[in-house]
Amino acid sequence: MKKVIAVFKKEIMLSVSILAAVISFFITPPSGELLKSIDWKTLATLFMLLSVLDGFKNENLFRPVLKLSGKIKSQAGLSFFLIFGVFFSSMFVTNDVSLIIFVPLTIILFRAENKEQYILPVISMENIAAVRGSLLTPFGSPQNLFLYSKSGMSTGSFMLMMLPLWIMSIVLLSSFILFLYRRNIKEKADTSGYVGAEWLPENRTKRIVYAVLFVIIIASIVTRTTLWPYITLFVAIVLFIFDRDVYKRVDYVLLLTFLCFFAFSSSVAANPKISGFLESSVRGHEYIWSILLSQVISNVPASIVLWPFTDNLRALIYGLDTAGLVTVIGSLASVINMRIYNREYPGKAAEFMKYFEIISLIFFIIVVVPQYFMSR
């Protein structure tokens, strides 16, 4: 029981989601229809992505990219590499995975250089990079994946809709980095060229398997195939054959959190009084609702709750992909980033919050009004 309580204290979003699921039973009694309304396709896709991308991390498939860090000679250049490494990788491996890869690397490199004063500003900008880089693609974040699967938009149309925000983010992140090193833009960097574990010849098959599975999963998302149950089963069997240890490392907490919020959302949508209130309140105000609700339950669950009551996908997703800039709770990726830092620097979560809020809120203030008019 003590272990269970410790897990719930550590996993705040899981606790909130389970509470929401329990409340949903009183809103609308459980039924077969509610069970069918849960988005099992998104859950299956998320399971496949989490499993395969954990394999990517465990087998260090990003080693060729990380090797480039040893060739960078300036501190500003190193920060550009790390921050935009998060930015561009998040489009393909999701924002939380990109942070899991690059934030520990940032801490290792800056410690090795004795430049720890840059760690908090840089990982705060990496957080922004993860949130804003991932918004371009349908599979860059869980909320994008969910809304893309529901919307029926083509991949090209989705990316075109998000492109202005993505380009604006590149300009602003570059400006932030230049401002950070404004006093000495040529400050030298002396990294050890950390690249992580060597590629072992005996694990070559695993690396190939993970690369192939990743391509299959992305193809299934883009094509919106109705064969997703069979693809999920295929991926699960292949992983069991080639690397069954991956099942011990999958983020089941995130999957359970999603499941609980799906149950809550389905229950709310099935209740005439609550759905009537949300429909009249949310429509026409999707941008504001998505930002504010995300500060209470995070942007992923907010997307699940708000989707049934909107007819403006652009406003909804613009708000959800901006909510992570307001508070740590606004995005699950931000929570993950704070957990990584707190593990390396125990007891310094408040210091992380200070830097995160200052840098993220400046970014938010700059983009929130232009995006509102763009969403209209």
Side-chain angles (χ1 to χ4, degrees):
M1 182 58 69
K2 288 182 178 180
K3 289 183 178 179
V4 172
I5 293 172
V7 169
F8 283 118
K9 284 183 177 179
K10 181 181 178 182
E11 304 293 348
I12 301 299
M13 289 310 303
L14 175 62
S15 304
V16 172
S17 69
I18 291 176
L19 178 61
V22 172
I23 292 172
S24 72
F25 295 150
F26 297 96
I27 296 173
T28 306
S31 66
E33 287 301 314
L34 277 179
L35 196 62
K36 289 180 183 177
S37 65
I38 292 175
D39 192 344
W40 297 106
K41 179 181 178 180
T42 298
L43 283 172
T45 304
L46 190 59
F47 163 74
M48 290 190 290
L49 280 172
L50 289 173
S51 303
V52 170
L53 292 174
D54 184 88
F56 266 56
K57 181 167 66 74
N58 197 58
E59 296 300 324
N60 198 24
L61 264 70
F62 300 98
R63 189 172 187 271
V65 177
L66 301 183
K67 285 178 69 175
L68 293 174
S69 64
K71 300 179 181 180
I72 299 172
K73 303 304 180 185
S74 72
Q75 203 66 39
L78 182 61
S79 296
F80 266 101
F81 169 79
L82 293 167
I83 292 167
F84 280 98
V86 173
F87 186 86
F88 290 111
S89 66
S90 67
M91 299 189 306
F92 304 101
V93 301
T94 73
N95 48 24
D96 53 346
V97 173
S98 65
L99 288 171
I100 290 170
I101 294 168
F102 281 95
V103 171
L105 176 65
T106 301
I107 294 173
I108 288 170
L109 291 177
F110 285 13
R111 274 177 174 170
E113 293 184 280
N114 198 26
K115 298 286 178 67
E116 290 187 84
Q117 70 270 25
Y118 293 123
I119 289 178
L120 277 170
V122 171
I123 67 172
S124 296
M125 283 189 274
E126 286 175 351
N127 203 105
I128 297 172
V131 170
R132 303 294 289 188
S134 63
L135 60 76
L136 182 65
T137 61
F139 35 81
S141 65
Q143 71 269 14
N144 279 19
L145 178 63
F146 171 71
L147 293 174
Y148 171 77
S149 66
K150 289 291 189 182
S151 68
M153 293 180 70
S154 68
T155 304
S157 297
F158 184 94
M159 294 179 70
L160 193 62
M161 177 177 70
M162 307 305 292
L163 187 61
L165 275 61
W166 189 77
I167 293 174
M168 180 166 53
S169 300
I170 292 177
V171 174
L172 287 175
L173 279 169
S174 299
S175 302
F176 275 43
I177 297 169
L178 292 174
F179 180 80
L180 177 64
Y181 294 103
R182 64 193 182 280
R183 294 178 180 174
N184 186 6
I185 196 67
K186 296 182 179 180
E187 183 178 353
K188 291 184 179 181
D190 181 22
T191 69
S192 59
Y194 173 80
V195 294
E198 292 283 343
W199 280 0
L200 301 176
E202 58 267 30
N203 287 350
R204 183 172 179 271
T205 301
K206 281 186 182 180
R207 293 192 293 272
I208 294 173
V209 166
Y210 277 118
V212 171
L213 289 179
F214 182 71
V215 172
I216 292 173
I217 294 167
I218 296 303
S220 72
I221 294 171
V222 173
T223 60
R224 285 196 174 89
T225 177
T226 57
L227 301 176
W228 62 267
Y230 303 102
I231 294 173
T232 304
L233 182 61
F234 171 76
V235 170
I237 291 172
V238 171
L239 290 176
F240 184 81
I241 294 171
F242 288 95
D243 189 11
R244 64 190 65 180
D245 285 344
V246 74
Y247 288 113
K248 300 176 184 177
R249 304 189 300 266
V250 174
D251 192 350
Y252 295 108
V253 168
L254 182 59
L255 289 171
L256 181 57
T257 301
F258 255 70
L259 177 60
C260 290
F261 276 120
F262 273 132
F264 176 75
S265 177
S266 299
S267 177
V268 167
N271 185 284
K273 291 184 179 180
I274 297 177
S275 62
F277 166 74
L278 288 174
E279 189 165 3
S280 61
S281 302
V282 174
R283 291 192 193 279
H285 307 284
E286 291 91 346
Y287 186 68
I288 296 172
W289 262 88
S290 58
I291 292 175
L292 294 180
L293 185 60
S294 295
Q295 309 316 310
V296 181
I297 61 174
S298 189
N299 55 4
V300 176
S303 68
I304 299 169
V305 172
L306 295 176
W307 163 252
F309 310 104
T310 180
D311 54 11
N312 186 346
L313 174 65
R314 183 188 298 268
L316 179 63
I317 200 165
Y318 276 19
L320 292 167
D321 283 344
T322 305
L325 302 175
V326 183
T327 64
V328 170
I329 201 67
S331 170
L332 290 176
S334 304
V335 176
I336 290 170
N337 196 10
M338 185 172 68
R339 283 169 60 180
I340 294 172
Y341 181 79
N342 200 43
R343 189 168 62 240
E344 295 292 332
Y345 295 94
K348 293 193 175 182
E351 194 175 358
F352 172 89
M353 293 277 288
K354 173 186 171 184
Y355 274 88
F356 172 86
E357 290 299 341
I358 291 172
I359 295 174
S360 281
L361 280 175
I362 291 172
F363 200 103
F364 174 76
I365 291 168
I366 294 171
V367 303
V368 64
V369 175
Q371 285 183 185
Y372 171 76
F373 289 105
M374 291 164 63
S375 73
R376 306 291 293 178

